[in-house]
Amino acid sequence: MPEVLRVALPLPRPGWFDYLPVRDEPVDASWIGCRVWVPFGRTRQLGIVCAIGPSTLTPDRLRPIQRRVDAETLFTDELWRTLHWLADYYCAPLGEVAQLALPASLRRGEALAETGDVLYRCLESPRLRRGGQPERLWQWMQAAPRNAAALDLHLPDWRATVRGWIRRGAMTAEPTDYAPPAPRPAAFDLDEAQRQAVAQIDASSGFVAFLLHGVTGSGKTEVYLDALAARQAEGRQSLVLVPEIALTPQTERRFRARFGDAVLVWHSGIADGERARTFAALRAGEPRIVVGTRSAIFLPLPRPGLIIVDEEHDASYKQQDGVRYSARDLALVRARALDVPVVLGSATPSLEGLNQVARGRYRLLTLERRAAGASPPEVRVVDLRRQQLDAGLVAESVAAIEHTLGAGGQVLVFRNRRGFAPALLCHDCGWTAACDRCDRPMTVHGGGRRLICHHCGARSHAPEACPDCHGLALQSQGVGTERLEQALRARFPDVPVLRFDRDSTRGRDAVSGLLAELADRPGILIGTQMLAKGHDLPRLDLVVVVGIDEGLFSADFRASERLSQLLIQVSGRAGRSRRRGRVLLQTHHPQHPLLVTLLQGGYPAFAEAALVERALLGLPPAAHLALLRAEAQQPEHAEDFLRRAAQLLAASTDGPAVSGPMPAPHPRRAGFHRLQLVLSAETRAPLHAALDAVWPALFDLPEARRVRWSVDVDPLDLY
Ligand code: ADP
Ligand code: ZN
Ligand code: ZN
């Protein structure tokens, strides 16, 4: 048997493909982790060598690779092992997992980007007009050699001038190692609680998981900054995960103010080239601080210092398609492997996190008070029963908005539904406009003219007359952000009314653009959960929460956790400066136990009760779940596949409990019937043992050919 290269290809199936090296190159360990171009059918694919060993194929069926791209592995040891772990844990092909860890240019086969820095040094003074911009630039550069980042700050359009000088021999460009600027001092003194949190993080050596539970506005970010400064001073690399792109501009500014160009930003709005440079810089060990969204967790960290996960409870850390990994959980896995501390911060920690604190696995750090003497917001429940509603608002809310604006403050009207209205209804016969591919109500958009399905994106015109009874009594039911905007514009024509949702804020800087437009003038912000998190809006004095009642009665087991987090987070936007903030919570269910618990005992009371309930019901974090989902146009196809899978899973003794096949909570989407198996076990081991044994076999089931299926380990919701 010849020794071959085992190559993982970016294909949605498990297993490796065997290839021979080109010509007579030796097969040795230097290949592992390198990219190779290989022939695949009639095309070629870029794969990654995962192992070497004797082939199971006969020599005549083996083909040589076309080209070796890398001379050495792209990954650090730790990252390479973590990727294997991840593929195993989440039941994902290694080839797909490796794709997650590479920026697009490397996935296309391009070479690693250049690293290091370039210093521009003055040689011989060129002839310059006295007093002009070039002369001033020259003088500034003569004082010390400067790099591009410093030049960008000094004079944004320096490039043409400097290029001209280099051409004429007046200046040199010398490659050097990247040296971070000295961190600027903090803007203010930390308070006692913040200082203690920082001290504990600083004092930890090796892996420790901290849960930083700090109420909204308690200054968690300042704790991160100080803890990062200590690691930065040691020349180490740190990673700060943040939940969403809309959040990053403001966050980015705060990190840059402290660490300057040592901060690299990573999210979907960052161009390929920049990402490639970030990957290469980290791989080369440059002492950088990366502030990024979910996929930043895959960056190499050969000189690790600290990993931070801000808003650790946030659902956006879990990827919901492809490889369904959790970046938050992965942060813990990597911190342990790298032997560095990890800080999970939140005002509303996940029940998983609190459970780990109770079990002594995470160390709790608490910030109980808001920073700089700000008080917690005052929350009032507004009972909607028997009250007149105008575009979803009661008179008391409208009066409070008017009062706040009159006093020069800003108001946030929170409604977690975009569009004009959640449904279109015939008042005569009860017909509701539904998506015929999803069996769900269509959302009304465009002031009532358009219908859009929020599940599959289907669009149509709103009918003029009811298709069932031909009556003309069609009405928009309920309110979305668009309708609120219309109503509030009409009611308060003299102040800016700005809407923040996915429809109004396409594009990377839309949110910060809108916020900058408002500045600190009195005005109204209408927003979905996009505005609930992270933004520091010092002038915001009032938050009105409209229509949370759907969330109180959702069937999903995490719904109450989500709703509590959302309510606390959105309330936390109010009164972050010295003025006391107010929150009005409109509801038809003022006595609902969830609301009562939250109002009386706050998030800790909710969490305590919820943990007891989850334990009683055998739900996470008291148990571990995995879902096997299948969808097909014919429901029998999905059912047959899942039934076969259930048989295979049942074969393992002491395996997980398997329930189903059962319809998914949302049983039809875009014309596909959706069914699932729920696997649960009290400990992880049997769950993973069963999945490991069965997962590869699922690909070969004849029933698998007629369905789209996926495994979701630690699913966030049962959808
Ligand atoms: P969190 O991340 O917990 O919501 P932030 O770190 O954004 O809180 O802090 C909230 C506000 O309080 C910010 O405007 C911040 O600049 C300010 N702040 C934080 N810590 C202090 C402090 N020790 N002294 C004065 N102001 C502070
Ligand atoms: Zn009708
Ligand atoms: Zn649909």
Side-chain angles (χ1 to χ4, degrees), residues 11 36 54 92 147 198 207 254 257 281 284 356 376 423 444 460 466 497 518 551 559 610 636 670 696:
L11 303 171
V36 286
N147 68 2
V198 174
F207 170 70
R254 285 177 78 175
Q356 296 291 47
V444 184
S460 60
C466 171
V497 175
L518 183 63
E636 315 79 77

Side-chain angles (χ1 to χ4, degrees), residues 10-341:
L11 303 171
R13 41 167 32 272
W16 300 337
F17 298 82
D18 291 354
Y19 290 92
L20 295 167
V22 254
R23 273 160 273 144
D24 293 324
E25 274 190 81
V27 174
D28 60 27
S30 77
W31 285 87
I32 294 176
C34 294
R35 292 170 296 165
V36 286
W37 282 109
V38 297
F40 189 77
R42 278 157 207 262
T43 60
R44 63 173 195 162
Q45 288 271 6
L46 187 68
I48 293 171
V49 180
C50 288
I52 50 179
S55 178
T56 48
L57 297 175
T58 52
D60 58 307
R61 296 189 52 206
L62 281 170
R63 295 208 266 171
I65 65 162
Q66 291 175 344
R67 190 163 73 79
R68 177 176 183 162
V69 182
D70 304 301
E72 58 176 38
T73 176
L74 285 176
F75 306 95
T76 55
D77 271 0
E78 172 273 334
L79 186 54
W80 186 242
R81 273 180 281 121
T82 300
L83 295 177
H84 280 78
W85 173 87
L86 189 139
D88 237 36
Y89 185 89
Y90 290 104
C91 293
L94 189 62
E96 286 200 320
V97 168
Q99 297 283 303
L100 293 171
L102 295 179
S105 65
L106 296 182
R107 292 202 299 268
R108 286 193 300 263
E110 289 169 26
L112 264 177
E114 297 280 330
T115 59
D117 209 352
V118 173
L119 275 185
Y120 298 95
R121 188 188 300 278
C122 299
L123 295 176
E124 200 173 314
S125 185
R127 220 170 303 142
L128 294 166
R129 192 167 54 79
R130 295 280 299 274
Q133 205 178 55
E135 197 208 16
R136 286 200 299 277
L137 180 63
W138 180 266
Q139 280 172 357
W140 180 72
M141 294 184 75
Q142 226 171 9
R146 312 282 182 174
N147 68 2
L151 278 154
D152 279 337
L153 284 180
H154 185 77
L155 181 70
D157 52 355
W158 56 274
R159 282 172 204 275
T161 314
V162 167
R163 234 181 278 134
W165 289 337
I166 293 173
R167 222 177 14 247
R168 275 175 277 149
M171 185 168 270
T172 58
E174 304 163 5
T176 59
D177 283 345
Y178 170 76
R184 255 152 275 166
F188 27 65
D189 295 331
L190 296 190
D191 63 30
E192 187 50 32
Q194 288 172 315
R195 258 203 304 278
Q196 284 194 11
V198 174
Q200 288 214 45
I201 301 167
D202 282 354
S204 64
S205 66
F207 170 70
V208 184
F210 292 100
L211 183 70
L212 175 60
H213 183 181
V215 301
T216 54
S218 58
K220 292 184 288 297
T221 312
E222 299 302 322
V223 171
Y224 304 153
L225 291 170
D226 266 30
L228 289 166
R231 307 283 154 168
Q232 179 79 1
E234 297 167 1
R236 298 194 168 271
Q237 307 174 309
S238 296
L239 195 57
V240 183
L241 296 185
V242 292
E244 244 161 37
I245 176 175
L247 202 76
T248 30
Q250 207 176 33
T251 314
E252 178 182 343
R253 238 175 292 132
R254 285 177 78 175
F255 283 89
R256 276 208 197 284
R258 190 76 177 268
F259 301 111
D261 73 2
V263 173
L264 296 174
V265 182
W266 181 276
H267 55 65
S268 57
I270 297 290
D272 277 5
E274 216 171 317
R275 288 189 193 220
R277 278 193 294 279
T278 295
F279 179 92
L282 285 161
R283 182 177 173 279
E286 288 183 8
R288 301 284 198 167
I289 294 171
V290 178
V291 178
T293 50
R294 185 171 61 219
S295 60
I297 193 57
F298 291 106
L299 287 166
L301 298 168
R303 295 173 72 190
L306 178 63
I307 301 181
I308 291 170
V309 184
D310 190 27
E311 312 287 358
E312 62 88 28
H313 65 279
D314 198 279
S316 72
Y317 287 126
K318 175 95 196 221
Q319 176 137 308
Q320 300 284 16
D321 51 21
V323 182
R324 291 169 160 79
Y325 70 94
S326 156
R328 172 214 181 272
D329 294 351
L330 201 49
L332 282 143
V333 170
R334 292 201 66 190
R336 183 187 293 275
L338 293 165
D339 205 28
V340 298

